[in-house]
Amino acid sequence: MLTRNCLSLLLWVLFDGGLLTPLHPQPQQTLEAEPRENVVPVPGRRSSAQRVKRGWVWNQFFVLEEYMGSEPQYVGKLHSDLDKGVGTVKYTLSGDGAGTVFTIDETTGDIHAIRSLDREEKPFYTLRAQAVDVDTKKPLEPESEFIIKVQDINDNEPKFLDGPYVASVPEMSPVGAYVLQVKATDADDPTYGNSARVVYSILEGQPYFSIDPKTGVIRTALPNMDREVKEQYQVLIQAKDMGGQLGGLAGTTTVNITLTDVNDNPPRFPKSIFHLKVPESSHVGSAVGRIRAVDPDFGKNAEIEYNIVPGDGGNLFEITTDENTQEGVIKLKKPLDFETKKAYTFKVEASNLHLDHRFHSVGPFKDTATVKINVLDMDEPPVFSKPIYTMEVYEDTPVGTIIGAVTAQDLDAGSSSVRYFIDWKNDGNSYFTIDATEGTIATNELLDRESTAQYNFSIIASKVSNPLLTSKVNVIINVLDVNEFPPEISVPYETSVCENAKPGQVIQTITAADKDLSPAGQRFSFRLSPEASNKTNFTVHDYRNNTAGIETRRNGYSRRQQELHFLPVVIEDSSYPVQSSTNTMTIRVCRCDADGTILSCNVEAIFLPVGLSTGALIAILLCIVILLVIVVLYVALRRQKKKDTLMTSKEDIRDNVIHYDDEGGGEEDTQAFDIGALRNPKVIEDNKIRRDIKPDTLRFPRQRPPAEDNKDIRDFINQRLHENDVDPTAPPYDSLATYAYEGNGSVAESLSSIDSLTTEADQDYDYLSDWGPRFKVLADMFGEEESYNPDKVT
């Protein structure tokens, strides 16, 4: 590095007057020494400009990168023609790095780099220089721009930015097969010297692969590389700058190359004969053994297809490929029987599914092997002669009738007897029984087809020598029908006929149904019953297809004469014994229009006079209903009124309470009722309704009633008492039962002044003062009264 720096400094001797010329000029960056003119004002002349030739120009300056000297690196020198060397001119520097990277001597114009520069960080700097007067600080010349370019040195090694690499190439590829292209990047200047010119080479991985030194393309170098021998290769690639010369910098990367598989190997059986043993009790579809052919290839190239070569014994077996293990799985297609055949031999062929035409010359990609299967004798359960048994029996067959039999045999060498029994898990066991030795099935109950038409149950057969070995078979018993039910009309028809019907008109089509299981081809016949044959209203026409039509036999029908007609129809079936039934059809006469559309079939239309419409009949019925409702309400109100009166007489007990603000007139204060009415029996007879009269505020003096009226009043009161006792509607108001005569036999005697021997003046109220302070006011009031004054109202 020091040697290169010294040689670079030696180049400065070649420059004239400090003006530098680039070693390798770049057209886009060159400020070439083409004269430039500047307009400079001349003092003392007109304001018009004079074209003056510029006194100094320069090309690009160069500075070495990574300078390691102790002194600042000299770059170049600026000089103006106006500088006479007397110190009147000052040089200034501005732009990229001015003051931080580059400095200038203001007096001499020398430019130095004050720190080490890296071209890969910044390849050039653009600066501006100017000469100014020291005293006036005014520019002597216009500002000029120049470039300082960093001179590159080889300080960066090549780098593989995409490494390490992973690549693959098919096995058995020819020499020169393309594998991968690698690329190294050098950060040095590719336009200057050989610092960025890279050369590729292989350090590890020969002789299997090669690389192009300029392009970095990796290719195979050996033919027929076999994946089954070696699959992975690691190749070390070097990139060196300076064109690979001594002293250049180098970088390395790793390339992992995998040989991909091709179908270059056929499958091979490891042995020529495979021996297998299979129990004769193996189920159809079960696997009886596995064989395998070996294929060193990988993936789909190792997929194998197995086939049984047509020949003796192969028809009982089939072979399939296990996709996970690529094994041949041999399965049973048909049942085995040791007593019939004890061994089977056949050939199996294994072949690849995906062939590569490049290797057809190697030979056929398949192999064959022999398979021998020995059948093992097993103690087997009995075998029924049929997979399923179907039997028939007529309903109502006598109990104990044999309807069929099942048969099972022991096919083993040492034959054993068989026992039969019905599977007790089914419901049909109570209707049938089976002979344990013979296997015959007989009825155990009377059967009814209409209840159950078919029975399905299982029969189990077991060996006497080994009861655990059992077989099961299904038995289906169909119950045959016996013609025991007569046919009937399938649905109840609502039949009607118009009053204006014509003879021969079909008014209804009928069909029949039979509860019996009708055999194929059974026919139903229809006819009138003998008692209706002589009537001329309707007839039955049998269409002989299990249907019949009801036809009219006369012209017109009258609802007034007969609204409903009853037609007995006899239906017979064709089974044995023949069953028949008589079905009575109801035919209603209706009023229809001219087209035969039914207008009315109501009963009320028969009794209406001519011209009275249905609306008028509805209005009449509505009026009748309203009248009935009014009568019912009236009766209900009457009963409610009587009930309320009776309850009032028992519960509503009210007294005629008379309020006194002071000491009133006693018994004479009875103006709440008409006392005169009590003394006039005739008035009472005419008007028995009594009224309560609110007493007036006026008080009248009490008068003693005449003594001769006491008997009449007593009789009147007794009569009123009797009437009130027997009258349930009379309210029990006490004010109406006020009596002027107390009657005889009262222990308290009379409380009124009537018939009193003394007056109020004769009363002595001195005892009130003995009752205490609470009665003092009352004692004072009665103590002051001296005599009765009729004019005084108290």
Side-chain angles (χ1 to χ4, degrees):
M1 179 66 71
L2 183 60
T3 304
R4 290 199 300 271
N5 291 338
C6 293
L7 292 176
S8 300
L9 290 174
L10 189 60
L11 295 176
W12 299 115
V13 182
L14 301 177
F15 294 101
D16 184 13
L19 299 179
L20 302 180
T21 302
L23 296 177
H24 298 281
Q26 295 182 359
Q28 67 273 20
Q29 296 180 352
T30 302
L31 305 175
E32 201 46 57
E34 187 175 330
R36 298 172 56 187
E37 297 179 349
N38 188 23
V39 179
V40 180
V42 180
R45 294 188 179 183
R46 299 173 59 184
S47 59
S48 59
Q50 180 180 2
R51 189 174 297 275
V52 179
K53 182 178 180 181
R54 182 175 179 178
W56 51 277
V57 294
W58 58 87
N59 292 328
Q60 292 180 345
F61 288 170
F62 291 87
V63 60
L64 288 176
E65 71 169 331
E66 305 293 345
Y67 175 73
M68 304 299 294
S70 60
E71 297 295 332
Q73 184 180 178
Y74 180 77
V75 179
K77 183 180 181 67
L78 300 180
H79 182 73
S80 175
D81 293 342
L82 299 179
D83 187 3
K84 304 302 182 180
V86 293
T88 60
V89 178
K90 177 182 177 181
Y91 296 98
T92 62
L93 188 67
S94 61
D96 292 342
T100 58
V101 180
F102 302 100
T103 60
I104 187 170
D105 191 315
E106 296 180 351
T107 303
T108 63
D110 292 334
I111 300 175
H112 291 82
I114 60 176
R115 66 180 179 86
S116 178
L117 302 179
D118 187 0
R119 189 200 68 83
E120 287 71 37
E121 180 180 349
K122 190 174 179 63
F124 63 90
Y125 296 84
T126 303
L127 298 117
R128 295 181 299 278
Q130 194 172 30
V132 298
D133 188 271
V134 174
D135 299 327
T136 63
K137 306 299 181 182
K138 293 183 178 180
L140 299 177
E141 292 183 358
E143 189 178 55
S144 297
E145 186 177 84
F146 65 97
I147 294 176
I148 297 178
K149 189 173 182 182
V150 181
Q151 186 70 46
D152 181 51
I153 63 174
N154 188 20
D155 58 343
N156 292 280
E157 72 277 4
K159 295 181 179 180
F160 292 93
L161 301 181
D162 298 330
Y165 296 89
V166 176
S168 62
V169 63
E171 64 172 335
M172 309 303 290
S173 296
V175 176
Y178 175 85
V179 179
L180 180 70
Q181 183 178 14
V182 297
K183 183 176 178 59
T185 303
D186 196 323
D188 292 327
D189 189 359
T191 63
Y192 178 73
N194 295 326
S195 298
R197 190 160 68 90
V198 178
V199 175
Y200 301 95
S201 62
I202 294 180
L203 299 182
E204 296 179 5
Q206 296 175 339
Y208 304 104
F209 301 95
S210 63
I211 189 170
D212 189 295
K214 293 183 179 181
T215 62
V217 175
I218 302 175
R219 300 180 184 275
T220 57
L222 287 179
N224 299 328
M225 287 189 294
D226 193 356
R227 184 196 68 85
E228 287 73 34
V229 177
K230 186 177 182 180
E231 182 178 5
Q232 299 287 339
Y233 294 87
Q234 191 176 69
V235 181
L236 183 62
I237 304 296
Q238 174 185 268
K240 190 174 184 180
D241 59 9
M242 300 298 292
Q245 298 178 2
L246 184 64
L249 302 178
T252 60
T253 187
T254 302
V255 181
N256 295 312
I257 301 176
T258 302
L259 295 182
T260 59
D261 184 62
V262 297
N263 192 11
D264 58 338
N265 295 284
R268 291 287 182 266
F269 282 107
K271 54 185 179 180
S272 59
I273 300 178
F274 292 88
H275 294 276
L276 300 175
K277 295 181 180 181
V278 183
E280 65 171 339
S281 59
S282 299
H283 299 288
V284 174
S286 61
V288 299
R290 289 172 175 256
I291 62 174
R292 182 179 181 180
V294 179
D295 191 333
D297 292 327
F298 177 76
K300 68 176 184 179
N301 295 320
E303 293 180 0
I304 302 174
E305 181 183 19
Y306 297 91
N307 293 287
I308 295 177
V309 178
D312 183 29
N315 57 345
L316 267 71
F317 303 92
E318 62 180 357
I319 188 169
T320 58
T321 303
D322 188 332
E323 295 181 357
N324 297 324
T325 62
Q326 295 300 312
E327 292 179 317
V329 182
I330 301 175
K331 296 182 180 181
L332 190 63
K333 287 175 59 178
K334 298 179 181 180
L336 298 176
D337 187 9
F338 175 81
E339 289 72 23
T340 303
K341 192 172 184 179
K342 298 177 176 58
Y344 297 89
T345 302
F346 53 88
K347 290 185 178 181
V348 175
E349 181 182 81
S351 59
N352 283 138
L353 290 175
H354 307 281
L355 300 178
D356 194 331
H357 64 278
R358 295 177 299 173
F359 305 101
H360 284 176
S361 59
V362 179
F365 277 73
K366 57 184 177 181
D367 194 14
T368 58
T370 301
V371 177
K372 290 186 176 181
I373 297 179
N374 295 322
V375 181
L376 302 179
D377 186 22
M378 302 295 293
D379 194 7
E380 299 175 293
V383 177
F384 283 97
S385 59
K386 294 181 181 180
I388 188 171
Y389 289 86
T390 301
M391 305 177 186
E392 294 180 347
V393 60
Y394 282 98
E395 62 178 335
D396 296 332
T397 298
V399 176
T401 302
I402 297 176
I403 58 177
V406 296
T407 303
Q409 293 180 352
D410 181 15
L411 302 180
D412 291 331
S415 179
S416 172
S417 57
V418 179
R419 292 292 181 266
Y420 305 93
F421 58 92
I422 297 177
D423 188 1
W424 297 107
K425 296 180 181 180
N426 290 329
D427 296 335
N429 50 34
S430 61
Y431 293 94
F432 304 95
T433 59
I434 187 170
D435 187 277
T437 305
E438 302 296 333
T440 56
I441 300 174
T443 59
N444 195 35
E445 294 182 10
L446 290 178
L447 306 178
D448 184 12
R449 191 204 64 81
E450 286 70 33
S451 175
T452 304
Q454 187 182 78
Y455 293 89
N456 191 341
F457 55 93
S458 299
I459 301 276
I460 297 177
S462 64
K463 296 173 65 171
V464 175
S465 60
N466 189 358
L468 297 178
L469 294 177
T470 61
S471 298
K472 183 183 293 187
V473 69
N474 286 336
V475 177
I476 299 175
I477 298 179
N478 296 318
V479 181
L480 302 180
D481 183 47
V482 175
N483 192 22
E484 55 184 341
F485 293 99
E488 298 176 349
I489 293 179
S490 56
V491 293
Y493 295 99
E494 273 294 330
T495 306
S496 60
V497 63
C498 294
E499 289 183 315
N500 56 357
K502 304 297 181 182
Q505 182 177 344
V506 179
I507 61 174
Q508 184 68 59
T509 302
I510 60 176
T511 59
D514 195 337
K515 293 182 180 180
D516 294 315
L517 180 61
S518 303
Q522 181 173 357
R523 301 290 296 271
F524 297 109
S525 61
F526 303 85
R527 70 176 187 275
L528 282 178
S529 63
E531 62 270 16
S533 301
N534 55 355
K535 297 182 180 180
T536 60
N537 291 327
F538 304 95
T539 186
V540 177
H541 184 195
D542 190 353
Y543 297 141
R544 301 191 182 280
N545 58 354
N546 290 343
T547 62
I550 308 300
E551 297 180 356
T552 59
R553 297 185 60 182
R554 71 180 189 180
N555 189 5
Y557 297 84
S558 174
R559 285 187 296 169
R560 292 180 179 276
Q561 296 179 0
Q562 187 175 356
E563 180 194 6
L564 300 177
H565 295 268
F566 300 98
L567 184 67
V569 180
V570 177
I571 307 175
E572 290 184 354
D573 58 19
S574 59
S575 300
Y576 181 82
V578 176
Q579 298 286 349
S580 65
S581 65
T582 301
N583 301 262
T584 302
M585 296 185 60
T586 302
I587 303 174
R588 184 183 299 274
V589 181
C590 299
R591 184 165 62 90
C592 306
D593 58 10
D595 297 332
T597 302
I598 297 176
L599 299 178
S600 175
C601 291
N602 297 333
V603 180
E604 51 88 16
I606 304 175
F607 303 100
L608 289 178
V610 178
L612 186 59
S613 62
T614 305
L617 178 61
I618 294 175
I620 294 172
L621 293 177
L622 184 60
C623 293
I624 294 173
V625 171
I626 293 173
L627 292 175
L628 290 176
V629 171
I630 292 174
V631 172
V632 172
L633 290 176
Y634 176 75
V635 173
L637 289 175
R638 292 276 299 175
R639 292 182 179 178
Q640 184 67 28
K641 183 176 181 182
K642 290 181 180 181
K643 182 179 180 182
D644 294 342
T645 304
L646 181 59
M647 293 180 64
T648 303
S649 63
K650 295 180 180 179
E651 300 174 3
D652 191 8
I653 302 174
R654 293 180 291 180
D655 293 336
N656 186 19
V657 181
I658 302 174
H659 300 274
Y660 298 94
D661 296 333
D662 54 5
E663 294 296 328
E667 294 295 335
E668 292 184 358
D669 193 2
T670 57
Q671 295 182 7
F673 56 89
D674 189 3
I675 194 63
L678 296 176
R679 294 185 175 91
N680 191 352
K682 295 182 179 180
V683 176
I684 297 304
E685 291 293 337
D686 296 335
N687 186 10
K688 294 183 179 181
I689 300 177
R690 295 177 295 174
R691 296 174 297 172
D692 290 341
I693 301 175
K694 184 178 181 181
D696 298 331
T697 57
L698 297 178
R699 306 289 178 89
F700 297 96
R702 293 175 291 178
Q703 297 179 358
R704 188 186 301 266
E708 59 272 10
D709 292 339
N710 289 343
K711 184 178 184 303
D712 296 333
I713 293 173
R714 183 164 54 253
D715 296 336
F716 170 74
I717 289 174
N718 292 332
Q719 182 182 357
R720 293 300 292 160
L721 282 173
H722 179 72
E723 292 177 355
N724 278 286
D725 290 339
V726 299
D727 186 7
T729 62
Y733 298 125
D734 291 346
S735 61
L736 300 180
T738 302
Y739 308 108
Y741 177 74
E742 292 292 331
N744 298 324
S746 176
V747 178
E749 297 181 349
S750 177
L751 297 179
S752 85
S753 59
I754 302 175
D755 294 336
S756 180
L757 298 179
T758 61
T759 62
E760 292 183 2
D762 298 331
Q763 295 290 333
D764 184 11
Y765 297 102
D766 294 337
Y767 62 88
L768 294 176
S769 59
D770 298 335
W771 287 8
R774 294 185 179 182
F775 298 93
K776 182 177 182 302
V777 178
L778 186 62
D780 294 341
M781 291 175 58
F782 284 91
E784 295 177 356
E785 185 176 349
E786 296 178 356
S787 62
Y788 174 73
N789 188 3
D791 298 331
K792 183 179 179 180
V793 179
T794 60

